[in-house]
Structures are given as C-alpha cells and as structure tokens.
C-alpha cells in the first residue's frame, strides 16, 4: 500500500495549498440522475417535462396509453428525486385523478419497485416502464383503490365502462373525475 | 487530577506511552516494509497529526475517548445534534445536565477536562457547512455517522479534494476516511483511501435497504402493527391533515400521539394487536435500538485503523470489516473492490484544452467529444456546477423539454456561458458507463501566466 504520511508529515503543517481546485462538484445523486436522464429511452407513449432545465431532480412524466383500458387518456406523474438517490427510490405521485386499482385518489401509486423492491441498479427508465405497465395491466390482486379492484375482478365490462366514464369526466360512485382525454 | 494544559514534551517522556513505544520504536516481523522505527512516530501522533471525528453520538463518544487515550493530541469533532435523554445510556461523555446542549461542545469539554494530552476542537455545525479548505487540513477523517446521505456527502467531498498530475493522483491530496457504522447488534468498519480503494458509492448496494412495506398491503391487507402505523403515516396524515396540515414531525409528541391513536383504531379494525407508543415512535423515526457494546467494538476497530494509518506502522485493514454479535460473535473482513464504473470515484477529471473561450462555442465542444478518437460520444449531456454551487444544465439532447431550453447555449461561446478556466463539466453519454468529468483549460490564460 502507498505510504501516505512520509510525504504528508511536512505537507500539512505549512499547507495552505488547498489549490486542489475550488471546483464545485456535482453530488453523487446529481451525477447519477444526469446519467439516468441522458439515457432515458422512453416508449412512444411517454413524455417527460422538466419545468426547470437546470433541475434534473424534479420533473413530470406524462403517459398517454395507446391501448388497453386507458387508451386515449393522459396521466401526469410528478417525480421527486432526493439527495439519497439511488439508495432511495424517487417519490412518484400521480397528479391526475384516475380510476385505477393500483393508484388511489390521493395519487399514491402501488408499484413494487417504487417501494419494497427498489434497488440502486434500477433507473428512472425502469420506473417509467413500470408505470406504463400499470396502465396496460391493472392488477386487482394488489389494490390501492379497492372498489376499482373489486369491479375489475367481478365485472370486466363494468370496469371498462367506469374507466371510460372517469376519463371523459364524470362520477364513478361518489368520486368526480376530471376529464383527462385530450381531443 | 489537575487539568494541566497539554504539554507534549512532558507527555512524550511519560511512562504512559511505553506500550506505544514498543510498537513504534522497534522493528517487528509484521511491520510495513517501509516503516522506520523512531520516536518521531509517537511525536507525530501526539503533536502534529490532525484527526477529524464526524459525529459525537454513540460511535463518536467512543471514538473520541479511544483516540484521546491512544495519545492523539489534536482532534476536531463535528456534530449538528443536541443531547437527548435517550442518548445518556451509551453516550458516556454526556450527563443529565447536558440535555439540550451541543453534542460536539459537551464531548470536547469532557475530553479536554479529562485527557490533558489531548485538545478537542468542537464544531456545532452540519458537515455541509464546511468546504474543502476545512477538510483538507486533516490527515485523517473518522466517521461515526448514522445517515447514508452524510456518508455520501463526505465521500464526495474527499473525492473532490483529490489532485491529479498527468492522470494519476497526487498522494498528498488523499485524506483517508475511516467509516464506522452500527445498527443494533450489527456493525461495520472500513478504510477508504479516496481514489484508491472502494468508496461509499462503489458499494452503495451494501447498505441495507430501508424496510418498506408494499403500499397495497398497507392499504388493504395489513397483517402487522407496523402496517397500520405506516398506513396512518402515509395515507391518513395527508388525508386528514391534523395540526393545520404541517408535515409530520417524528420529534413532536403530539404528532406521535395522533398517529398512535389512529393506528390503534386501524389495528382493531383488522384484529391486529401490538401497537404501542414506542413502536409508533420507532416506525415513524426508523429507530433501531442502539447497542453500546456494538458501538464500542466498531469504534475500537476504527481507532486502531486511525492509529495504523497515522503512524504507518502496520498495513491498514483491507478494507471492510463486518461485525455481528446478535448470536455469539461473528466477524469477517474482506476487500471491497473499487468499482470501475463508480460514478463518484472512477472519473479522473480530464483536461480539455480550449484555444480561446471567446470563440469556442458549446457546439464546438460537443462536436469535439463526438469526433475525437478519445471520446467518440454519441449524444453527450453536459452539466456544470456554478461558482455559487448551483447545478446548471448546459445541453441535454435526449429530453425534448430540456433540449428546447438549452438549445440556445449551443451557439454561445464558453465565455458567454460564464464558464471559467478550470471549471469542470460533467458529461454523460450512452457510450460510457460512468460520467466523464472534463476540466476546462484555457490556453490563452496559460500564455498570460507564463
């Protein structure tokens, strides 16, 4: 191993040499998110929007499914990436009120890789694909919106009808859903 | 005992150091090859070596005690916390009358009063309140931290302090980091030579993931008392926004009380038992009971590594010690490998010579990165950190909204973009597993300097 202090012993005493470069460095979370974002490979149904181009830690993902129950809808998710990324997953909330078994009316999303199965090798891209999959294959086994899940399980036609009704803007049960279908 | 002012000369002659003298003034079969036995080694440790202890909590108290008693004469300690009643069982530098006071200051006062050969300088601050000039004054940094964010921050700081000459690290710019960590009966100690051995980011996946329960289980099929508490914390708090919709504060007894009561209600709904006030506190604040003996073992291992590095007498541990005394005693030391693709420590800044910053545009730089045989990038994204420490995206082509916002930068010269000589650009590209750091080198300046 290298011998550190034979050189150093003299150094530190008179050292005001801190010329290492007063260079500000990007944090590890920042480096990693830049890598994730520059390598984003989005399916054609997904778009990201960065309100501030200098802030890669806060952005929106807009999913417009082109098949399945949610075809023609437009769903906005807010991503907040913390300074502990990728040790911790980003916080993702659905900003569009949606009738969905795995998304509750507060916008909480039940996606395993957003919580219990998160792992630092996963990327923003993984989450995007996970979210897109939720719209193609809503999963009634793991419900967050239990009513929606029950309907999906017992009566697929009814579920499909409810989804369309909610997306066009209207009441399903006691909840009013805003229209989320752009013309 | 009189509290004499530190007198190193006296200390050096004291019989007290005979044990260390055996180690530092004699050859031994296990010494490092380049170790030269001499009284200078002890003198260095007592009078010159400057060690920073980060954290004055469970590990920090042990570390300060260990290092002071080993003979280190110049210690600094940083801690942003104040003392709480629940600390007193293991953080033995504090007394009941210290509750509410700064941990760093109390710990320093205690050691300074008790160990006359040691002078501890306290800093009642956050690690982020200091910059490179502060951290570079130390020979060694020992961490007794309880957060991964803080570890990553100091790791990043030490890496950014490295100086390079012709692509290799200037050894004198290395400040070794000895990191201890405990969680209940488990602990680890490791030696990190920034730029040489595995850093915190290289082994980020070794940290145990936070316990997270699936949201749907919490919402619909709770089975454990923890599920009920998490439900109240994650769903009910935002929905019912008690206390005028302030964010949940785990240190506020009223907040914990509210969660406790709602959790009880929810638990009885699902016939779950076992909710207690303490459990609620534990789940909300992610408390894992601290075990004094684990702290003592890990701190001792760290202090020993500090001693070995400071005196160069023996090789450092290579480089990761795992410890578990839950059931008997288990230890295992192995060499964590430096990751070749570590975003933090595997990117040596590479000089990017620029003829004239006032005529070279950002587009020229990107073209160069794509066309040069050395880089051959495809669609690089470039960011930098400004002098004020603000993140700035120079160009990112793969995301439409950012591309639109940064396209105007392409035609601007580096000067117009406010980029200065020596400033670092972070470049990421699909062709490279790591981020590349480019350091601008303006030729015009160099000419002036000569």
């Amino acid at each position: 191993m290298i011998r550190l202090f034979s050189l150093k012993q003299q150094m530190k005493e008179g050292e005001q040499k801190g010329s290492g470069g007063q260079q500000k460095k990007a944090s590890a979370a920042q480096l990693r998110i830049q890598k994730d974002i520059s390598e984003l490979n989005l399916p054609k149904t997904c778009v990201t929007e960065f309100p501030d181009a200098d802030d890669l830690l806060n952005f929106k993902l807009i999913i417009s499914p082109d098949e399945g129950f949610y075809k023609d809808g437009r769903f906005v998710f807010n991503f907040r990436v913390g300074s502990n990324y990728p040790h911790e997953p980003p916080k993702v909330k659905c900003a569009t009120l949606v009738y969905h078994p795995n998304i509750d009316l507060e916008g909480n999303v039940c996606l395993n890789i957003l919580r219990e199965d998160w792992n630092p090798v996963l990327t923003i891209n993984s989450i995007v694909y996970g979210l897109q999959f939720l719209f193609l294959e809503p999963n009634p086994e793991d419900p967050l919106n239990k009513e929606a899940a029950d309907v999906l399980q017992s009566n697929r036609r009814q579920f499909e009808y409810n989804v369309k009704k909610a997306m066009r803007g209207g009441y399903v049960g006691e909840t009013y859903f805003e229209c989320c279908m752009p013309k | 005992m009189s509290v004499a002012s530190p007198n190193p000369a006296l200390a050096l002659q004291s019989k007290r150091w005979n044990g260390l003298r055996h180690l530092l003034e004699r050859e031994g079969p296990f010494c490092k090859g380049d170790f030269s036995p001499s009284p200078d080694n002890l003198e260095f440790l007592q009078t010159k070596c400057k060690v920073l202890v980060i954290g004055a909590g469970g590990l920090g108290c042990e570390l300060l005690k260990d290092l002071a008693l080993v003979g280190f004469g110049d210690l600094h300690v940083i801690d942003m916390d104040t003392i709480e009643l629940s600390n007193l069982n293991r953080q033995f530098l504090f007394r009941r009358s210290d509750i509410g006071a700064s941990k760093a200051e109390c710990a320093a006062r205690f050691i300074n009063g008790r160990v006359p050969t040691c002078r501890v300088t306290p800093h009642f601050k956050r690690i982020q309140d200091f910059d490179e000039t502060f951290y570079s004054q130390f020979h060694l940094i020992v961490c007794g931290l309880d957060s991964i964010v803080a570890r990553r921050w100091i790791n990043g700081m030490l890496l950014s302090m490295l100086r390079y000459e012709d692509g290799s690290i200037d050894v004198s710019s290395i400040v070794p980091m000895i990191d201890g960590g405990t969680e209940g009966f488990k602990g680890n100690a490791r030696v990190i030579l920034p730029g040489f051995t595995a850093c915190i980011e290289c082994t980020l996946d070794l940290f145990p993931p936070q316990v997270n329960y699936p949201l749907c289980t919490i919402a619909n099929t709770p089975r454990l008392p923890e599920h009920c508490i998490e439900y109240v914390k994650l769903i009910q708090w935002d929905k019912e926004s008690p206390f005028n919709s302030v964010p949940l504060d785990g240190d506020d007894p009223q907040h914990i009380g509210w969660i406790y009561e709602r959790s009880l209600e929810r638990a009885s709904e699902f016939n779950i038992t076992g909710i207690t006030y303490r459990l609620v506190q534990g789940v909300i604040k992610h408390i894992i009971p601290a075990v004094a003996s684990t702290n003592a073992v890990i701190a001792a291992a760290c202090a020993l590594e500090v001693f070995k590095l400071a005196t160069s007498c023996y090789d450092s541990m290579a480089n990761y010690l795992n410890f578990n005394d839950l059931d008997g005693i288990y230890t295992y030391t192995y060499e964590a490998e430096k990751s070749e693709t570590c975003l933090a420590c595997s990117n040596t800044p590479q000089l990017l010579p620029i003829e004239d910053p006032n005529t070279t545009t950002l587009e020229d730089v990107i073209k160069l990165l794509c066309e040069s045989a050395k880089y051959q990038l495809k669609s690089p994204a470039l960011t930098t950190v400004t002098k004020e420490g603000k993140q700035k995206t120079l160009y990112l082509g793969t995301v439409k909204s950012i591309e639109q916002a940064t396209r105007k930068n392409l035609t601007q010269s580096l000067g117009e973009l406010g980029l200065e000589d020596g400033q670092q650009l972070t470049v990421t590209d699909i062709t490279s597993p790591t981020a590349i750091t480019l350091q601008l080198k303006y030729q015009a300046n160099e000419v002036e300097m000569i």
Side-chain angles (χ1 to χ4, degrees):
Chain A
M1 201 185 72
I2 42 168
R3 180 172 168 112
L4 287 168
F5 294 113
S6 47
L7 292 156
K8 248 177 147 166
Q9 248 153 281
Q10 302 89 12
M11 280 283 301
K12 291 276 168 177
E13 299 154 61
E15 180 178 51
Q16 275 319 325
K17 212 182 153 184
S19 65
Q22 296 289 343
Q23 277 321 311
K24 302 276 186 195
K25 272 221 173 172
S27 70
Q30 198 61 252
L31 286 173
R32 171 60 195 269
I33 197 69
Q34 181 180 334
K35 183 115 194 71
D36 277 18
I37 298 298
S38 65
E39 288 177 7
L40 267 185
N41 186 2
L42 297 176
K44 61 181 188 305
T45 52
C46 296
V47 186
T48 48
E49 240 173 52
F50 288 74
D52 175 359
D54 291 335
D55 179 6
L56 301 181
L57 300 174
N58 294 289
F59 58 93
K60 290 181 196 308
L61 170 76
I62 297 132
I63 304 184
S64 315
D66 58 359
E67 56 180 314
F69 293 121
Y70 297 90
K71 183 166 187 265
D72 299 328
R74 184 176 184 275
F75 306 95
V76 181
F77 290 84
N78 287 324
F79 279 63
R80 273 197 1 241
V81 180
S83 60
N84 214 2
Y85 185 76
H87 177 66
E88 282 170 14
K91 297 217 169 12
V92 178
K93 278 219 163 191
C94 184
T96 310
L97 194 58
V98 54
Y99 179 80
H100 192 294
N102 311 109
I103 302 175
D104 72 13
L105 302 175
E106 269 76 48
N108 297 304
V109 184
C110 188
L111 179 65
N112 62 340
I113 55 169
L114 281 176
R115 291 179 60 80
E116 70 276 13
D117 291 333
W118 173 257
N119 174 327
V121 303
L122 296 172
T123 65
I124 298 295
N125 231 5
S126 332
I127 299 175
V128 172
Y129 277 93
L131 291 174
Q132 144 145 308
F133 186 70
L134 278 188
F135 285 103
L136 299 179
E137 293 281 341
N139 174 6
E141 313 271 297
D142 274 344
L144 256 196
N145 180 339
K146 196 143 189 328
E147 290 84 65
D150 289 343
V151 176
L152 174 58
Q153 227 154 12
S154 60
N155 186 345
R156 251 180 115 82
R157 292 287 296 275
Q158 180 68 41
F159 178 78
E160 190 169 0
Y161 173 77
N162 287 355
V163 169
K164 284 280 176 287
K165 193 169 169 199
M167 290 202 307
R168 275 197 294 265
Y171 278 94
V172 176
E174 288 179 359
T175 314
Y176 180 76
F177 291 85
E178 295 274 343
C179 170
C180 64
M181 295 175 77
K183 302 281 138 49
Chain B
M1 187 190 76
S2 71
V3 183
S5 61
N7 184 337
L10 196 93
L12 273 173
Q13 282 146 25
S14 155
K15 266 194 201 157
R16 190 174 147 191
W17 310 112
N18 279 354
L20 287 187
R21 288 217 160 104
H22 290 319
L23 291 174
L24 300 178
E25 296 176 15
R26 305 199 295 208
E27 278 293 356
F30 300 112
C31 284
K32 268 172 78 166
D34 57 359
F35 172 66
S36 43
S38 142
D40 297 346
N41 294 322
L42 185 58
E43 200 200 328
F44 171 70
L45 182 147
Q46 293 181 322
T47 61
K48 298 207 183 73
C49 189
K50 212 166 167 178
V51 179
L52 174 66
V53 178
I54 302 182
L59 274 173
C61 282
E62 292 276 356
L63 281 167
L64 286 166
K65 174 260 291 173
D66 289 348
L67 295 173
L69 293 179
V70 163
F72 283 91
D74 190 357
L75 303 177
H76 284 236
V77 60
I78 308 183
D79 199 307
M80 60 183 277
D81 271 346
T82 53
I83 296 159
E84 288 176 39
L85 177 66
S86 62
N87 300 147
L88 301 184
N89 72 326
R90 62 192 185 284
Q91 301 179 18
F92 48 78
L93 302 178
F94 313 136
R95 296 292 173 264
R96 209 181 172 101
S97 56
D98 295 327
I99 290 173
S102 150
K103 287 189 177 179
E105 285 165 7
C106 284
R109 200 178 325 122
F110 193 107
I111 299 277
N112 289 340
R114 185 71 166 260
V115 186
T117 53
C118 181
R119 168 79 17 208
V120 183
T121 312
H123 304 277
F124 180 21
K125 291 224 166 96
R126 299 168 352 119
I127 52 172
Q128 290 88 348
D129 293 337
F130 292 101
D131 63 7
E132 180 175 335
T133 37
F134 175 79
Y135 290 106
S136 61
Q137 66 178 309
F138 298 101
H139 290 95
L140 289 154
I141 294 181
V142 210
C143 302
L145 289 164
D146 59 359
S147 106
I148 294 168
V149 182
R151 280 192 179 84
R152 293 179 71 188
W153 190 89
I154 192 73
N155 184 61
M157 168 57 74
L158 297 184
L159 287 169
S160 75
M161 279 157 43
L162 295 175
R163 284 189 300 264
Y164 292 86
E165 272 162 26
D166 307 324
S168 58
I169 297 173
D170 172 359
V171 180
S172 68
S173 68
I174 297 175
V175 177
M177 162 170 166
I178 293 102
D179 178 46
T182 65
E183 205 174 75
F185 288 100
K186 291 181 282 188
N188 77 286
R190 58 192 297 189
V191 178
I192 296 173
L193 300 178
F196 275 92
T197 64
C199 79
I200 297 282
E201 300 290 333
C202 290
T203 57
L204 196 63
D205 49 352
L206 286 182
F207 290 106
Q210 259 189 14
V211 182
N212 271 327
Y213 304 104
L215 206 52
C216 22
T217 305
I218 297 172
N220 289 300
T221 50
R223 295 180 306 276
L224 302 172
E226 285 86 350
H227 291 156
C228 302
I229 300 168
E230 285 280 344
Y231 178 82
V232 177
K233 172 189 163 190
L234 288 169
I235 312 279
Q236 259 174 292
W237 183 272
D238 284 337
K239 214 186 236 171
E240 300 182 19
S241 15
F243 310 106
N244 302 318
S245 13
V246 290
L248 175 61
D249 176 1
D251 291 320
D252 187 328
Q254 276 190 304
H255 290 194
I256 299 290
W258 189 89
I259 297 210
Y260 171 57
E261 276 167 26
R262 294 304 132 99
S263 304
L264 272 181
E265 288 166 20
R266 188 165 170 83
S268 71
E269 215 178 296
F270 289 91
N271 292 323
I272 295 169
T273 52
I275 303 252
T276 62
Y277 186 85
R278 280 185 76 108
L279 182 74
V280 173
Q281 246 182 337
V283 171
I284 298 297
K285 294 178 73 181
H286 297 287
I287 294 176
I288 293 163
V291 175
S293 56
T294 316
N295 283 341
V297 172
I298 294 299
C302 290
L304 180 64
E305 292 307 318
V306 175
F307 174 78
K308 290 196 289 187
L309 275 167
T311 58
S312 303
C313 62
Y314 295 95
D315 278 330
S316 292
M317 165 179 86
N319 53 32
Y320 195 116
L321 164 80
N322 247 317
F323 174 81
N324 187 335
D325 59 352
L326 186 60
D327 193 11
I329 286 198
Y330 169 85
T331 67
Y332 181 65
T333 306
Y334 75 103
E335 187 166 356
E337 275 183 45
K338 186 171 181 304
S339 159
E340 289 309 316
T341 58
C342 174
L343 285 178
C345 77
S346 289
N347 81 72
T348 317
Q350 309 189 15
L351 287 183
L352 184 70
I354 300 289
E355 288 290 343
D356 182 352
N358 296 315
T359 58
T360 310
T361 64
L362 188 64
E363 197 162 22
D364 295 334
V365 172
I366 293 177
K367 209 181 265 173
L368 178 83
L369 292 174
C370 293
E371 287 172 3
S372 87
K374 184 173 175 194
Y375 296 108
Q376 301 187 36
L377 304 183
K378 288 270 183 282
S379 55
L382 285 84
T383 64
T384 190
V385 181
T386 62
K387 274 201 302 277
E388 296 75 34
K390 208 182 156 299
Q391 194 72 28
K392 182 178 162 79
T393 306
L394 294 169
Y395 185 72
L396 199 151
T398 48
V399 173
K400 206 170 148 211
S401 60
I402 304 183
E403 201 280 331
Q404 283 168 351
T406 55
R407 192 186 298 157
K408 62 179 190 311
N409 292 346
L410 288 176
T411 50
Q412 297 205 34
S413 74
L414 303 187
E416 284 167 329
L417 288 166
L419 298 173
E420 296 181 354
D421 186 35
Q423 190 156 344
Q424 294 184 348
L425 311 184
T426 304
V427 183
T428 54
D429 188 77
I430 41 166
T431 58
S432 160
T434 63
I436 302 165
T437 303
L438 295 176
Q439 186 158 357
L440 295 174
K441 185 156 179 56
Y442 292 170
Q443 307 294 18
N445 268 26
E446 195 177 56
V447 176
E448 265 169 53
M449 274 160 66
I450 296 166

